């Protein structure tokens, strides 16, 4: 039996969605973020030394990193589903987007989250203007232009096919869902990029996506 060690409002929601798409049996061990720090509880370190989610266990296997989990589950349990055939151009696109999601798309979005938090953090009144000025400069000169570049790139790529790897929905779309959800919540993604917004609407409408939400609980990145 596959066990998903699921942290609220985290990448592990993608794993639940994948399992629902494949119709696999699984069980959930739920963990809750600290309300103040938003960090995962220390109990996750009993499952994996990094104490982060997602982590999947099955038999003696302990597997972390959402991309590795998605690829492994598709390879071991997919029976040809949710991945284009080997040797095809679509398979190359599939592999690219599986790595792009966390390797390229998420870092500027994470940086924006960090610098936004700096601006909201209580601090001495004489420090706050300096901290806000530095944060604002970093965001305007580097973080926001990077996010814009990535959103423009993804919008253009979705102009080539309905889904990221081609005309068929795949695990690459499950992997790509998190940065796009994050961009819609805090990265400036809006109706000015209609293909990305239509993509979000399509994944939200999938029955397996909705079943995963019901299993994992409310999901928000705002």
């Amino acid at each position: 039996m596959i066990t998903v060690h699921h942290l609220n409002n985290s990448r592990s929601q993608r794993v639940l969605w994948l399992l629902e798409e494949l119709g696999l049996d699984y069980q959930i061990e739920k963990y809750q973020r600290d309300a103040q720090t938003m960090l995962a509880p220390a109990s996750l370190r009993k499952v994996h030394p990094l104490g982060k989610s997602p982590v999947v266990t099955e038999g003696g296997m302990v597997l972390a990193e959402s991309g590795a989990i998605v690829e492994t589950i598709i390879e071991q349990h997919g029976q040809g589903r949710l991945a284009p055939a080997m040797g095809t151009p679509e398979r190359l696109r599939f592999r690219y987007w599986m790595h792009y999601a966390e390797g390229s798309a998420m870092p500027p979005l994470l940086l924006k989250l960090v610098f936004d938090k700096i601006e909201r953090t209580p601090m001495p009144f004489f420090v706050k203007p300096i901290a806000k000025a530095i944060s604002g400069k970093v965001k305007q000169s580097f973080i926001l232009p990077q996010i814009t570049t990535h959103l423009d790139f993804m919008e253009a790529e979705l102009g080539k096919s309905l889904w990221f790897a081609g005309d068929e929905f795949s695990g690459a779309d499950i992997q790509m869902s998190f940065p796009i959800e994050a961009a819609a919540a805090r990265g400036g993604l809006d109706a000015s990029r209609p293909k990305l917004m239509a993509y979000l609407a399509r994944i939200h409408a999938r029955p397996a996506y909705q079943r995963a939400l019901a299993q994992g609980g409310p999901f928000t990145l705002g």
Side-chain angles (χ1 to χ4, degrees):
M1 173 72 74
I2 296 172
T3 299
V4 181
H5 297 268
H6 173 63
L7 180 67
N8 63 305
N9 293 334
S10 79
R11 290 159 171 80
S12 56
Q13 188 64 39
R14 287 189 291 203
V15 179
L16 300 181
W17 179 19
L18 170 67
L19 295 169
E20 290 291 342
E21 289 282 357
L22 292 173
L24 299 176
D25 292 330
Y26 65 94
Q27 60 187 13
I28 304 175
E29 291 287 340
K30 291 186 177 180
Y31 303 80
Q32 197 73 18
R33 294 182 183 275
D34 183 276
Q36 298 299 320
T37 66
M38 297 306 293
L39 296 176
S43 55
L44 259 175
R45 290 197 181 92
K46 296 177 182 178
V47 185
H48 188 278
L50 294 181
K52 297 182 181 297
S53 182
V55 178
V56 166
T57 54
E58 184 181 18
M61 179 190 73
V62 179
L63 185 61
E65 295 295 337
S66 53
I69 291 169
V70 171
E71 287 193 277
T72 300
I73 289 176
I74 289 174
E75 288 172 2
Q76 295 184 354
H77 301 283
Q79 299 179 328
R81 295 171 292 170
L82 296 187
M86 295 294 292
T88 63
E90 290 79 10
R91 185 67 179 222
L92 287 177
R93 287 180 62 83
F94 170 86
R95 181 167 292 151
Y96 173 79
W97 294 111
M98 287 294 300
H99 292 270
Y100 169 89
E102 294 294 335
S104 293
M106 278 305 299
L109 290 164
L110 180 58
L111 282 173
K112 184 174 185 298
L113 174 66
V114 171
F115 278 86
D116 285 347
K117 188 172 182 180
I118 289 173
E119 294 176 358
R120 297 193 301 266
T121 300
M123 61 186 74
F125 73 93
F126 54 88
V127 174
K128 194 171 186 66
I130 300 172
K132 289 189 69 173
I134 294 172
S135 175
K137 182 67 173 178
V138 173
K139 288 198 295 185
Q140 291 299 323
S141 64
F142 177 73
I143 298 173
L144 295 180
Q146 282 291 306
I147 292 174
T148 296
T149 297
H150 284 287
L151 291 178
D152 288 345
F153 171 60
M154 290 185 282
E155 177 79 5
E157 290 297 303
L158 283 177
K160 299 176 181 179
S161 57
L162 186 64
W163 300 102
F164 275 104
D167 290 327
E168 298 293 329
F169 175 82
S170 75
D173 297 295
I174 294 174
Q175 183 71 353
M176 282 296 297
S177 66
F178 194 86
I180 297 176
E181 298 268 18
R186 56 176 180 258
L189 175 57
D190 57 24
S192 65
R193 294 182 175 87
K195 292 182 175 61
L196 282 169
M197 295 303 290
Y199 172 88
L200 272 181
R202 286 197 301 277
I203 66 174
H204 291 167
R206 293 184 72 85
Y209 182 96
Q210 296 171 17
R211 291 196 301 271
L213 283 182
Q215 292 291 334
F219 177 70
T220 176
L221 295 175

